[in-house]
Amino acid sequence: MSNKKGAYGTSGGGDTSFRKTWDRDEYAARAEERERKHKEESKARYEAALEGKKYHRRASTPPDARETEARSSRLDVASMVGKTMLVPAGAGIGKRGKGAGFYCEACDLTFKDNIQYVEHLNSRQHLVATGQTGEVKRAGVEEVRARLLWLKRKRDEETKEVVIDLDARLEMNREREEREREERRRKRNEKRRKTKDGLGHQEVKIENDGIIC
Amino acid sequence: MAKGDAFHKADASALLDDRGYSGALIRGQNPALLFEKGVRERITDSYYWKEQCFGLNAATLCDRAVELKFIGGTTGIMGKPTPFLCLAFKLLQLVPEKEILLEYLNFSAHSPEDVDTDNAGEFKYLRALAAFYIRLAWEPVDIYKTLEPLLLDRRKLKRRTKDGFTLTYVDQFVDDLLTKDRVCATSLWKMPPRSLLEDLDLLEPRESLLQEEIEALDEEGDDDVQIVGSEGDD
């Protein structure tokens, strides 16, 4: 009884306090925003008219859309070479769904070759599906300089590791191979431990395998 | 529209739109027209363009440019464009400001006081790319003023020809840009010759670094003639 609430979310007594109270600041801000937008648009419209062009209002972009950026690495088109995968029976027809080929996760499409795939990645459809605007931010001189400095540092670090002495290189190669072998051995052992009796997968050997006598 | 200045399209659709193009102009026309139509089409069809040139801006373009291994125009029977040409086309799309081009051209990791001709332009293929773009896009006086200092750069460049590779040098490439009319599968626009600009007092006469040597040679030559002449007199 003590906190009686009216239909519009107001509380307290009084004759007139049943009315909804408006947040004046918020609505003032909204009005200001709307006026500003209107002003901007009419200015753009006027400028376009001066240049003899027609003004088109830009479609509003969703607030969480991000700018398109350059690919940071090469597209890996060879990752699936030599692999076997199961595809649904109807996957051979059309691009829809996951099938054999280059699959785009966001758009649920499969492409048969890398050219089609990369064209799709650049397409408006894909950019919209992944929340990108399709527009790239312009870079200024400082950004260019920072980028070049970074590239220079990166290159310096890469060339620092290059050893020209032949003996040292042979030694490095041997160590690397040793490491890889160790890794393979470790994996094999793990696999063996995973099987039921710990004996690993026994090779099934049949006498005269495959030879017809 | 403030947004139009801060952003540009990730692909070349706006650039290749020959009726509704509204971007920056170079000498009053669409920058894409500086390349021939056939080359333009082959560039936009090429895999390198689609994969590596998508969404580049003036800063990320450096990533690609420092990884270039050769310059050149088109290769093979099909006229496949080289990455160098694709990036030049991208530059024509971006039309970066002069300062950015100068940064490409004369970048040095050293502090500004230590920069001299020896360590300027550390990435030579980026430098070649910027020089190529400058020759296409800038005004003649600026071209001569910015490209002539590059004639001191004697680093090697690998150049891809139609069916193989040849060796060239940065200075040689820049000289080609200044004197020839067809470089890297592109017809360079006709630039007024240096002598004309000198007559109009827009440029100072160029002092060649070899001037002294040439004069010395001339003097020696004169001496020889005199000696021969004096012998002849005797």
Side-chain angles (χ1 to χ4, degrees), chain B residues 69-83:
Chain B
K69 292 280 179 272
F70 50 84
I71 62 172
T74 52
T75 60
I77 311 167
M78 300 295 287
K80 186 182 163 215
T82 56

Side-chain angles (χ1 to χ4, degrees), chain A residues 68-123:
Chain A
T68 306
E69 279 177 0
R71 276 181 249 291
S72 54
S73 60
R74 307 242 21 182
L75 270 185
D76 187 13
V77 289
S79 62
M80 300 296 279
V81 169
K83 292 211 174 132
T84 314
M85 71 191 247
L86 286 174
V87 291
I93 309 149
K95 290 185 287 193
R96 187 70 55 78
K98 193 170 168 71
F102 299 96
Y103 179 62
C104 173
E105 204 69 59
C107 310
D108 191 33
L109 292 172
T110 306
F111 298 90
K112 295 297 172 202
D113 59 47
N114 59 345
I115 306 240
Q116 279 184 39
Y117 181 55
V118 78
E119 263 172 13
H120 166 73
L121 292 186
N122 295 349
S123 71

Side-chain angles (χ1 to χ4, degrees), chain A residues 71 75 119 136 147 152, chain B residues 8 50-51 63-64 122:
Chain A
R71 276 181 249 291
L75 270 185
E119 263 172 13
V136 187
R147 192 89 189 167
K152 169 84 180 133
Chain B
H8 54 73
K50 284 174 187 163
E51 190 205 342
D63 298 10
R64 311 283 190 257
E122 297 201 18

